[in-house]
Amino acid sequence: MELNSARPSRRSRRARHLLAVSLAAALLPLAPAPASAATDTRAATADSCPWGYTSSTTVAFGRNRADSGVPNRDLGNGCTILDAVWAEAPFLDHGSFVRAVSRVATGLRKDGVVTGKESRSIVRAAARSPIGTPQPETGTRALPDTRIGLVLYTVRATMPSAPEATLAALASCGYRNAEPSGAVDNFYGRTATGLAPVVADAGLSVPSIGIGLGDLQNNLDGVIANARAFGARYVRISGSGSWGLDDYSEVAATLNAVGARLKQAGITVAYHNHGFEFTARDGVRGYDVLLRETDPKLVAMELDLYWAASVGVDPVELISQHPGRFSLFHVKDMAADGSFADVGEGTIDFARIFAYSRMAGVEYYLTENDSPRPDGVSSACDSYANLRALRY
């Protein structure tokens, strides 16, 4: 359980910190409004979306062909086009989702918010998206070996004193990827340039590194240099249980800003969750703020499956609402008593979740155990063997 975090800067605190009606309208099931009542719908939800989707992105329901390219316009009351769409959730299936989008787009066209061409683009993007489409388990698919890795937090007890032996043992049981974490130029007591060749010599690749929010804010050049030393394509941070909704909003703005710079360097910034992000404040969860206010083209999510499950959050529901956002999974299991278990030896139904891998956009499955027994390497190797045997 890593908490590489710093409190967000206060200098850009937004005037949107309203204590009025929050995103409940966008999160709770609502009856679909008729297309002819688009104006009335927006008036009825005035000031109800201060924490909704940002207008700095496009109307997108996933990546590539599911992105309409139409600006996610502010409707003049704190809500955007995507807020209007998700106010009609839940969607029973893909057809009901597309019909809801069509109703919203038609109403906005009649109100002059979008053109006819833009309205059609939005509906086409919805039709091309996987939202509302069930992803069944076939029991025949296996995770690609080249996409499985280990979060080195699992072996933190031996990494500082015996990194060569630790990494060699992990490679010998099958791992091909590792995610080290720490701070700029301090990974288990070594600099990035000092540890990177040790990892490479063991035959392991580093798709992602964990650093702190303070590193992103104050030493972005160092973050880029460290990521390049490891050959990492992702750098990820974790949050803090002390944050309020305003903090999450500021972090989202920071991630967008640094994400643009990192993207130029061929690196994507990612956010790793714990359980506290899913605690609602004024009807809104911090995790929702991050998902809605970060640009999908710049910011990825590293979804920790254990922490989501620990607070009753269904990863499939997250993926279904935000396809394409979850480039990385922390794959860790939960024992019946809520404690940590080796992957495949607990209660989490990974097969059901992995069936949604394509919809999620996941690239790497990184196993982890915060409290490994009898030791980090043994636990990690058990998780690897179980994960390789899994069929979904």
Side-chain angles (χ1 to χ4, degrees):
M1 171 179 169
E2 301 167 68
L3 294 173
N4 295 324
S5 60
R7 192 166 184 83
S9 169
R10 298 279 178 179
R11 61 178 178 268
S12 63
R13 192 171 303 281
R14 303 179 178 183
R16 297 188 304 162
H17 300 170
L18 307 176
L19 294 179
V21 184
S22 69
L23 269 182
L27 297 176
L28 297 176
L30 298 179
S36 60
T39 302
D40 294 339
T41 299
R42 295 201 304 278
T45 58
D47 297 325
S48 66
C49 302
W51 302 104
Y53 289 88
T54 176
S55 59
S56 65
T57 60
T58 55
V59 179
F61 309 107
R63 293 179 177 171
N64 304 322
R65 286 162 54 86
D67 187 339
S68 71
V70 177
N72 186 35
R73 295 189 178 100
D74 192 314
L75 304 182
N77 56 5
C79 296
T80 65
I81 294 173
L82 283 172
D83 287 309
V85 169
W86 284 103
E88 304 223 5
F91 307 110
L92 298 179
D93 50 38
H94 183 66
S96 65
F97 168 68
V98 175
R99 288 191 294 273
V101 172
S102 181
R103 284 194 297 271
V104 171
T106 299
L108 295 175
R109 177 182 57 78
K110 289 180 178 179
D111 288 348
V113 176
V114 299
T115 67
K117 181 179 179 180
E118 288 175 328
S119 176
R120 291 189 294 273
S121 294
I122 290 171
V123 175
R124 282 196 297 267
R128 292 166 178 163
S129 83
I131 293 175
T133 305
Q135 306 293 304
E137 299 172 41
T138 66
T140 61
R141 294 168 292 186
L143 295 184
D145 188 49
T146 56
R147 298 296 178 177
I148 297 175
L150 176 73
V151 183
L152 294 184
Y153 186 69
T154 305
V155 291
R156 63 194 180 277
T158 56
M159 276 299 295
S161 59
E164 293 88 354
T166 300
L167 296 168
L170 296 173
S172 69
C173 72
Y175 281 105
R176 295 294 174 262
N177 301 286
E179 184 188 70
S181 57
V184 168
D185 278 334
N186 186 7
F187 295 87
Y188 316 103
R190 298 196 180 198
T191 65
T193 54
L195 183 60
V198 178
V199 179
D201 287 346
L204 299 172
S205 298
V206 176
S208 172
I209 62 172
I211 44 91
L213 176 60
D215 292 323
L216 288 182
Q217 293 172 323
N218 306 314
N219 192 2
L220 191 57
D221 288 339
V223 171
I224 293 172
N226 279 199
R228 285 176 169 168
F230 282 111
R233 294 173 46 222
Y234 293 92
V235 297
R236 57 91 169 164
I237 66 163
S238 297
S240 169
S242 66
W243 290 355
L245 293 178
D246 54 346
D247 297 316
Y248 283 105
S249 190
E250 289 173 9
V251 169
T254 296
L255 293 175
N256 285 332
V258 301
R261 276 201 60 195
L262 288 170
K263 192 64 95 175
Q264 293 176 346
I267 302 165
T268 300
V269 66
Y271 183 88
H272 167 268
N273 66 280
H274 291 85
F276 48 75
E277 292 91 346
F278 298 103
T279 298
R281 298 172 175 84
D282 299 322
V284 183
R285 304 180 303 185
Y287 202 71
D288 296 321
V289 175
L290 293 173
L291 279 167
R292 291 169 179 170
E293 295 194 8
T294 53
D295 187 337
K297 296 182 179 67
L298 302 175
V299 182
M301 307 302 281
E302 182 177 69
L303 182 58
D304 189 304
L305 302 178
Y306 169 91
W307 286 115
S310 73
V311 290
V313 171
D314 184 359
V316 168
E317 290 184 7
L318 286 176
I319 294 165
S320 298
Q321 184 167 349
H322 303 279
R325 293 303 306 271
F326 306 94
S327 300
L328 305 167
F329 278 174
H330 270 197
V331 184
K332 42 205 285 199
D333 214 339
M334 180 186 298
D337 63 1
S339 61
F340 299 99
D342 289 342
V343 174
E345 299 178 11
T347 60
I348 296 179
D349 187 352
F350 292 111
R352 173 176 172 269
I353 298 169
F354 293 165
Y356 284 78
S357 290
R358 184 173 181 181
M359 184 184 289
V362 63
E363 292 191 57
Y364 290 95
Y365 304 79
L366 306 170
T367 72
E368 186 180 21
N369 190 325
D370 289 16
S371 301
R373 296 182 178 86
D375 58 80
V377 169
S378 297
S379 171
C381 289
D382 284 346
S383 289
Y384 175 82
N386 293 338
L387 197 57
R388 284 291 290 151
L390 178 69
R391 297 295 180 267
Y392 65 95

